[in-house]
Amino acid sequence: MQRLIEFCAGLIFGLGLLLSGMTDPSKVQAFLDLAGQWDPSLAFVMGGGVLMAMLGFGIAKRKNKSLSGQVFHWPELRHVDRALILGSLIFGIGWGLAGFCPGPALVSMASGEVKAVVFVLAMLSGIVWFDRITRRAQEPLACAKDCP
Amino acid sequence: MTIDWLNFTPLSSLAGGLLLGIAASLLFIYSGRILGITGILEGLLPPKLGDTAWRFAFLLGLMVSPLVGQWLLPVDALHAPQIDASWPMLILAGLLVGVGTRWGAGCTSGHGICGLSRLSLRSLIATLSFMATGFLTVFVIRHVL
C-alpha cells in the first residue's frame, strides 16, 4: 500500500509538471527572460504548488506520525551557509542555460527526449562527482593510501 | 518588459502547480518524506539499505507520467518540448545543475515548493539565489552574447 501511494505521488507530480509547462525548456526560459517576451506562467506553477503544499504541511504539523506510521522527516538544517547559497547560485546558472531543473528533466527523459537523457546523465555525473571531491576533502588522511 | 500573452497559460500552469502541491502533501502526510527530486536521487547514489523502496516507487511513478498523461491530460498541454540548448551547453548545464543542487541541498521542488510552503528561511534564500542566476543567465545568453 505504501509503495502504491508513493508511486501515485510521483505520478501526480509528473502530471503536474507536464500540465504546468515546466517540462518545456523553452517555456521555462521564456519565464526567466524578463528583458524579452516574458511568459509569467511559471509564477502560477510556483504559487499553486506552494499554496497546496502549505495546506499539506499544515495538516502534518498537527500530527505526530505519518499515515504509514513512520516519523515525519522534517528537514533539520536551519542555518544559511555558503554551501546553500553558492550551490543554489550554480544550480540557477545551469537551469537558465538549458531550461531544465531535475524533475522536469527526468519526466522529459521518460517521454523519450534524447536531449533530456544527455542532460540527466550530466546531472547525475555532477552529483556523483561532487560527492567524490567533498568526501576526499573530508578524510584526506584516513584514505591516503588505498582509496576505494 | 513585454508580456508574451500568446504563450501565457495561467490556468493550466496554476492547475499543474496545484498537482505539484498535492503530490508533495501526499508524500509527506503518508510517508513522512519531503518531495525534493534532488534529495530523492541523492539517496540512491549510492543506495542505502532500507531507504530505497520509497525512492524507487516515487521515481517509477514520475517516469510513467508521460504515458499516463497522454490520455489524462488535455491534448494542448502535451506539445513537444522545445530544447534550444546545444549539446555541449546541455552537458555543461546538467553538470552545473547536478553540482549546484547537491551543494545547495535542493532544487525547485525541495526548496522552491516544499521549503517555501514550510516558510523555511534556508529555502527562501536558496530559491532567491537560483532564481537570480536563472534570470541573469537567460539575460546573458539571449541579450548579451
Side-chain angles (χ1 to χ4, degrees):
Chain A
M1 178 65 182
Q2 192 182 344
R3 298 291 95 88
L4 186 69
I5 300 275
E6 287 150 0
F7 173 86
C8 287
L11 177 61
I12 295 170
F13 195 76
L15 292 174
L17 289 175
L18 287 163
L19 180 61
S20 65
M22 288 290 291
T23 50
D24 182 358
S26 67
K27 194 169 179 69
V28 174
Q29 286 179 322
F31 169 71
L32 293 174
D33 190 8
L34 287 175
Q37 286 279 310
W38 191 49
D39 177 357
S41 305
L42 294 204
F44 287 71
V45 184
M46 195 70 126
V50 168
L51 270 180
M52 195 52 101
M54 237 172 199
L55 241 135
F57 286 114
I59 294 172
K61 214 171 269 176
R62 276 181 271 121
K63 298 165 68 76
N64 292 323
K65 273 184 179 174
S66 69
L67 289 182
S68 64
Q70 287 161 312
V71 293
F72 285 118
H73 293 263
W74 292 105
E76 281 155 11
L77 295 177
R78 291 275 179 278
H79 60 286
V80 174
D81 56 8
R82 207 171 56 115
L84 178 84
I85 296 174
L86 288 180
S88 299
L89 290 174
I90 291 174
F91 162 44
I93 297 174
W95 189 37
L97 285 179
F100 270 137
C101 52
L106 288 175
V107 172
S108 199
M109 178 180 82
S111 44
E113 284 291 335
V114 186
K115 279 189 156 179
V117 179
V118 171
F119 177 90
V120 168
L121 287 177
M123 178 177 87
L124 296 178
S125 322
I127 296 177
V128 172
W129 178 68
F130 181 82
D131 277 347
R132 241 182 232 172
I133 50 169
T134 47
R135 209 176 307 144
R136 201 169 295 162
Q138 274 163 11
E139 36 187 318
L141 290 172
C143 111
K145 232 181 175 182
D146 32 27
C147 289
Chain B
M1 178 198 294
T2 44
I3 291 187
D4 184 2
W5 294 107
L6 203 66
N7 292 309
F8 183 40
T9 53
L11 282 182
S12 59
S13 287
L14 182 68
L18 292 174
L19 286 180
L20 302 182
I22 290 173
S25 302
L26 184 64
L27 190 66
F28 198 74
I29 294 175
Y30 197 87
S31 295
R33 297 291 184 165
I34 291 285
L35 199 167
I37 303 295
T38 313
I40 291 174
L41 283 178
E42 264 166 36
L44 295 172
L45 296 167
K48 290 161 199 74
L49 205 68
D51 187 41
T52 54
W54 73 275
R55 298 172 194 270
F56 278 121
F58 177 88
L59 289 175
L60 192 66
L62 189 70
M63 303 297 256
V64 299
S65 64
L67 210 68
V68 178
Q70 277 183 350
W71 44 271
L72 260 189
L73 296 178
V75 185
D76 54 335
L78 288 170
H79 56 286
Q82 189 192 327
I83 307 170
D84 296 328
S86 64
W87 294 97
M89 191 72 107
L90 273 172
I91 295 174
L92 174 66
L95 284 171
L96 291 173
V97 169
V99 169
T101 53
R102 180 74 184 91
W103 202 12
C107 57
T108 1
S109 49
H111 281 313
I113 291 179
C114 293
L116 287 190
S117 65
R118 294 187 308 108
L119 306 178
S120 149
L121 176 67
R122 257 178 74 80
S123 291
L124 176 67
I125 302 280
T127 306
L128 290 177
S129 303
F130 66 68
M131 296 281 283
T133 45
F135 282 121
L136 198 71
T137 302
V138 171
F139 180 78
V140 170
I141 58 175
R142 290 211 170 160
H143 305 285
V144 179
L145 294 181

